Amino acid sequence: MHVIVVGLSHKTAPVEIREKLAVPGSRMGEALTRLTSYSGVKEGVLLSTCNRVEVYSVVDDIEQGYGRIQEFLADTHLSLSSEQLTPHLYWHADDRAITHLFRVAASLDSMIVGESQILGQLKDAFESALSHKTTGLIMNKVVKKAISVAKRVRTETKIAEMAVSVSYAAVELAKKIFSDLGQRTVLLVGAGEMAKLAAQHLIAQGVGQVRITTRTPQHAVDLAEKFGGTAVPFEQYKDDMASADIVLVSTGASHYLISADDVQRAVTVRMNRPMFLIDISVPRNIDPAVRHVDNAFLFDIDDLKQRVEKNRAERLQEADKAEQLVVEEVGVLREWMKSLEVTPTIVALKQRADEIKRSELDKTLGRLAHLPAQDRELIEGLAASIVNKMIHGTMVTLKSEVNSSNGAAFVESARRFFSLEAAPPQDTRGESAVDSSSCLAHDMNAPLVEQVPSRTASRKQP
Amino acid sequence: MAVVCFMVTMGLYFAATISFLAYLLRRSEALSKVSLGITAAGFVAHTVALVARMVGSSAAAPPSVHEALSFFSWMLILVFLAVEFRHRIHVLGSFIVPLALVSLISAAALPDTVPTLQPMFRTLWLHVTLSMLGTVGFAVAFVAGVMYLIQDRLLKSKRFNVLYSKLPALDFLDDLNQQSIILGFPLLTLGIITGAISAEFAKGAYVSWNPEQTWALVTWLFYFVVLLGRLTVGWRAKRAAYLTVIGFAGVILTLIGVVLKSYGTVS
């Protein structure tokens, strides 16, 4: 029984590939069911965000599992052949797979290290898997552990502040262009998580007006209500740009939405009043050529990150702390995983039975010292056969069920019934409200902003 | 008394310049307080020197170039202290104080007997004072323009260095630029008008079209166009910054022309 992960992320694949492979929420159920229908694939969780598509799975055989999941990924998007896909994939098994998941959950593997979005996305992915019953004992434990590790990392290190600092940098830059934000208008185009965060920062700094446009009109209206701003029809935002001093763009579009000409036009209408453009989208949505437009100041996510590079040493230290935490937690989980293996369980079971038999025999035989050796052997034999018969059924069941989807559950039960060592790690599931809006839509035909269903759906316990 | 105070002023402005330039490169807020303190002390000494000189000289004597430049420098520091008091933009000192120092050194280099113009009429005082006030406005606009261009470049090239962190917001600098010109331009206009009237009384012609007069009129026209462009077709921000830097070069050339001519007439 092995935990494996096969997937690709912003580190290994360009956005074109990630976009194609991404599984929208509506197709999640079908994909999960198909995933677990492959032979040898026992459990599966599919994590699909704009920055990564990963399949976490519990399989019998690592190599076979890799092959199956690769097949699954290629089938998920028919226009991508296996050959096109393979160069971008990574494969991890057991400890390394678990470490990877923990790092992902803790946002150590994110494009913006420390951002909180990924945790919500992982929770959603897990919930999806739970509701389609594609997870079992191991996956449940592993993912729940990953979530609790992520929370621990967030509370025990300052890693989350790093992500915040990117939007802080945006505000700081704005203040170098506009002395009084109170008279300024900010236009939000699209509403990715980082952009919303930056907008919140700007509002907290007293920015005068907020205008919001998203491809889905209703979404803009909702956000406008939330931020106390006005919604702007998506078709109009380019004309509206001239009235905005600060333009914050973050959509899922894979091409430039705002060209240098658009900005030049806006600056001309503004009679050369400076404009501050922030492009938090990946890939970028504002043509970098805007840099050559006078009185328009464009900063993309890398620039903002560069701005916060100053306290780099401290941030590295925090990331280090988080990594250590991950290693520690992987160790805990490894112990538990080990306990789920059948052979050690049977050995432990036999030992346990033997211990009981031995101690009871010692007690009884001590008082029967007058018996001849032959009789004493008979008693010993009796005890041994009772004990063996008692545990025989359990051992046979364990051996026969080991390859079923519930194998691990049987092992776990046996361990508990016979009080064998290595209690499973307890996870603390303090349900804090983690902002879990999904990433933006992946293709331009989809709504610009996809709202995540509310998380009132009852969580199925394994 | 006037001379001693003048020398003390120069010493203090020199120290303030060094201190302000150091402030430009170091992340030390204490340095800004020190620089400000020295500047303020220099300003007090300067005021005493100017008053002592005014008391000492006869009202009939025409203002000398020395006095005009010293007054210019005093006004610059006054404007700086006023802006500093309101907006707490210390870095402005790093640009204005050196300019005031240069002007003061120029004043010291010229013998204080060199008159600005041949004594022609009483309105000469008015002419010189108004022209100098207008020039102060343009000087502040120039400084704001230079700071704007530096900050603009730093932002565009994404170099977030010490200077970047100290320079104020772009729109503040653009506003300062605009306000300075809006204040400076009418003053210079009045200066030119009073000059022309003086000339009319003295020589019977408003304008004699000598080089420095022509140059002054060209400069005036230039600022007029700059101001008009700003208020009508949006010549603000970077373009305004460039234009005011160019315009100030014209102002300096005019001043040099005036000084050279006056010097020539004396020797």
Side-chain angles (χ1 to χ4, degrees):
Chain A
M1 210 65 79
H2 302 277
V3 176
I4 62 167
V5 57
V6 179
L8 48 77
S9 73
H10 59 98
K11 287 186 176 162
T12 62
V15 70
E16 298 79 41
I17 303 270
R18 303 202 303 265
E19 275 171 352
K20 279 188 185 155
L21 214 57
V23 181
S26 51
R27 279 176 46 213
M28 195 57 118
E30 175 267 324
L32 280 166
T33 317
R34 194 158 46 79
L35 170 66
T36 41
S37 68
Y38 285 96
S39 74
V41 178
K42 300 214 165 336
E43 304 178 29
V45 171
L46 177 52
L47 179 61
S48 168
T49 77
C50 39
N51 286 331
R52 65 182 68 244
V53 177
E54 291 178 334
V55 177
Y56 291 90
S57 193
V58 176
V59 295
D60 289 329
D61 180 79
I62 295 175
E63 287 308 319
Q64 187 199 22
Y66 284 164
R68 292 276 186 272
I69 291 173
Q70 222 172 307
E71 241 174 87
F72 162 79
L73 286 173
D75 287 351
T76 303
H77 202 282
L78 295 173
S79 68
L80 279 176
S81 68
S82 217
E83 291 76 49
Q84 280 176 295
L85 201 56
T86 315
H88 302 293
L89 290 178
Y90 44 79
W91 303 266
H92 299 302
D94 296 328
D95 277 9
R96 291 193 54 204
I98 293 168
T99 307
H100 181 80
L101 174 62
F102 284 10
R103 293 190 72 247
V104 167
S107 192
L108 286 166
D109 198 51
S110 299
M111 189 175 275
I112 301 153
V113 173
E115 54 101 8
S116 66
Q117 203 179 357
I118 184 65
L119 184 54
Q121 288 164 336
L122 177 63
K123 282 181 170 184
D124 289 340
F126 182 48
E127 236 166 76
S128 250
L130 279 178
S131 62
H132 291 97
K133 300 192 170 64
T134 60
T135 61
L137 181 92
I138 294 178
M139 216 60 222
N140 288 346
K141 180 67 79 187
V142 169
V143 178
K144 281 190 218 164
K145 189 74 188 165
I147 292 169
S148 79
V149 168
K151 285 179 183 161
R152 219 187 126 192
V153 165
R154 297 188 79 72
T155 50
E156 291 181 24
T157 74
K158 289 186 200 141
I159 203 152
E161 287 168 28
M162 297 178 197
V164 174
S165 64
V166 169
S167 47
Y168 175 77
V171 172
E172 203 195 23
L173 279 166
K175 283 185 170 170
K176 281 292 175 191
I177 298 172
F178 307 113
S179 47
D180 182 9
L181 290 180
Q183 296 163 8
R184 303 296 162 190
T185 300
V186 57
L187 172 68
L188 215 62
V189 181
E193 195 63 14
M194 291 301 297
K196 276 197 269 181
L197 207 58
Q200 269 166 354
H201 260 72
L202 283 167
I203 291 164
Q205 295 290 326
V207 79
Q209 258 199 59
V210 184
R211 302 168 76 78
I212 298 155
T213 188
T214 58
R215 204 163 279 257
T216 317
Q218 188 51 43
H219 197 75
V221 171
D222 292 346
L223 272 176
E225 203 169 302
K226 187 180 165 201
F227 288 147
T230 31
V232 177
F234 194 73
E235 307 74 42
Q236 276 177 28
Y237 80 87
K238 278 191 188 174
D239 304 321
D240 209 57
M241 226 159 65
S243 66
D245 302 289
I246 302 167
V247 180
L248 244 168
V249 183
S250 139
T251 79
S254 54
H255 61 270
Y256 298 143
L257 289 179
I258 297 174
S259 69
D261 284 344
D262 294 335
V263 175
Q264 183 60 67
R265 217 169 299 133
V267 168
T268 309
V269 173
R270 292 170 59 78
M271 309 243 299
N272 290 322
R273 284 186 185 83
M275 252 180 122
F276 178 30
L277 300 114
I278 313 162
D279 187 359
I280 312 192
S281 338
V282 178
R284 287 183 286 191
N285 288 163
I286 302 180
D287 189 344
V290 168
R291 278 155 220 269
H292 305 302
V293 178
D294 269 352
N295 304 318
F297 299 90
L298 169 65
F299 293 88
D300 62 25
I301 189 78
D302 289 335
D303 302 326
L304 296 182
K305 274 205 247 174
Q306 187 207 337
R307 186 69 201 95
V308 293
E309 277 299 288
K310 275 190 290 182
N311 36 18
R312 192 149 183 267
E314 192 195 340
R315 300 193 310 133
L316 281 180
Q317 207 182 331
E318 291 304 312
D320 266 356
K321 244 197 259 176
E323 298 281 3
Q324 270 166 20
L325 234 149
V326 166
V327 170
E328 191 183 304
E329 295 281 6
V330 169
V332 173
L333 200 64
R334 183 196 301 127
E335 284 307 304
W336 178 79
M337 290 282 291
K338 241 191 227 164
S339 78
L340 293 184
E341 284 165 28
V342 170
T343 318
T345 303
I346 289 174
V347 171
L349 183 57
K350 275 186 178 161
Q351 267 175 358
R352 182 97 186 96
D354 237 37
E355 273 166 33
I356 297 170
K357 182 184 81 183
R358 196 72 277 155
S359 75
E360 293 305 313
L361 272 176
D362 286 351
K363 259 192 268 171
T364 312
L365 291 179
R367 275 181 274 148
L368 297 174
H370 58 278
L371 286 186
Q374 225 177 359
D375 292 351
R376 289 160 63 122
E377 268 171 33
L378 267 176
I379 291 173
E380 273 184 42
L382 170 72
S385 79
I386 290 175
V387 165
N388 287 343
K389 287 237 163 89
M390 285 289 285
I391 63 169
H392 177 73
T394 311
M395 293 202 303
V396 170
T397 316
L398 278 178
K399 278 179 187 161
S400 64
E401 290 290 340
V402 68
N403 289 323
S404 79
S405 60
N406 288 330
F410 276 94
V411 175
E412 165 97 358
S413 312
R415 289 209 164 242
R416 288 215 196 163
F417 290 152
F418 292 95
S419 322
L420 305 178
E421 81 306 336
Q426 292 297 309
D427 54 21
T428 45
R429 299 192 64 194
E431 283 304 295
S432 68
V434 172
D435 201 3
S436 66
S437 52
S438 94
C439 82
L440 297 161
H442 303 281
D443 57 291
M444 288 305 292
N445 301 326
L448 194 61
V449 172
E450 227 171 44
Q451 186 64 319
V452 167
S454 66
R455 37 185 44 259
T456 46
S458 68
R459 201 179 279 267
K460 291 198 180 84
Q461 290 298 335
Chain B
M1 170 78 170
V3 177
V4 172
C5 276
F6 186 82
M7 293 318 278
V8 168
T9 306
M10 235 175 27
L12 287 170
Y13 282 179
F14 183 73
T17 299
I18 300 288
S19 176
F20 262 125
L21 290 180
Y23 169 72
L24 213 51
L25 303 172
R26 288 184 175 272
R27 283 182 201 281
S28 157
E29 280 312 304
L31 211 49
S32 71
K33 291 211 176 86
V34 172
S35 318
L36 267 177
I38 302 174
T39 311
F43 182 70
V44 171
H46 201 167
T47 312
V48 173
L50 283 176
V51 170
R53 201 180 165 85
M54 254 161 67
V55 171
S57 67
S58 70
S64 68
V65 175
H66 171 97
E67 282 168 322
L69 284 175
S70 176
F71 175 68
F72 171 74
S73 155
W74 182 81
M75 274 304 296
L76 265 184
I77 299 291
L78 180 67
V79 169
F80 161 62
L81 290 175
V83 175
E84 163 69 32
F85 187 73
R86 262 200 72 181
H87 298 285
R88 304 257 152 232
I89 298 188
H90 311 318
V91 74
L92 204 60
S94 306
F95 292 83
I96 287 190
V97 176
L99 194 61
L101 178 68
V102 168
S103 148
L104 208 60
I105 289 174
S106 317
L110 292 165
D112 55 6
T113 50
V114 176
T116 45
L117 288 167
Q118 293 299 56
M120 296 181 287
F121 209 70
R122 281 286 170 84
T123 49
L124 205 57
W125 271 103
L126 207 55
H127 163 66
V128 172
T129 310
L130 286 170
S131 306
M132 274 331 213
L133 284 175
T135 309
V136 167
F138 294 156
V140 174
F142 161 77
V143 165
V146 168
M147 286 165 84
Y148 187 99
L149 292 175
I150 293 175
Q151 185 71 311
D152 180 277
R153 175 135 327 165
L154 289 175
L155 276 166
K156 278 274 184 190
S157 62
K158 280 138 204 181
R159 270 188 316 219
F160 307 118
N161 53 20
V162 189
L163 192 53
Y164 158 84
S165 64
K166 284 185 177 157
L167 286 171
L170 286 180
D171 68 347
F172 173 84
L173 293 171
D174 195 38
D175 278 351
L176 185 62
N177 183 305
Q178 172 168 346
Q179 296 300 326
S180 314
I181 294 181
I182 285 182
L183 280 174
F185 185 74
L187 288 168
L188 185 72
T189 310
L190 286 174
I192 288 177
I193 290 172
T194 48
I197 293 172
S198 311
E200 212 278 330
F201 274 110
K203 298 179 187 167
Y206 287 106
V207 188
S208 53
W209 296 113
N210 57 22
E212 76 276 1
Q213 266 185 16
T214 315
W215 193 238
L217 283 174
V218 167
T219 307
W220 179 86
L221 205 65
F222 181 83
Y223 275 102
F224 179 69
V225 172
V226 168
L227 196 57
L228 208 64
R230 176 185 271 278
L231 298 179
T232 55
V233 289
W235 284 4
R236 63 182 82 229
K238 200 175 174 185
R239 177 169 306 176
Y242 270 125
L243 289 175
T244 42
V245 169
I246 295 168
F248 193 63
V251 172
I252 296 287
L253 280 177
T254 311
L255 279 177
I256 291 175
V258 171
V259 170
L260 283 181
K261 189 180 174 204
S262 316
Y263 209 66
T265 36
V266 168
S267 55

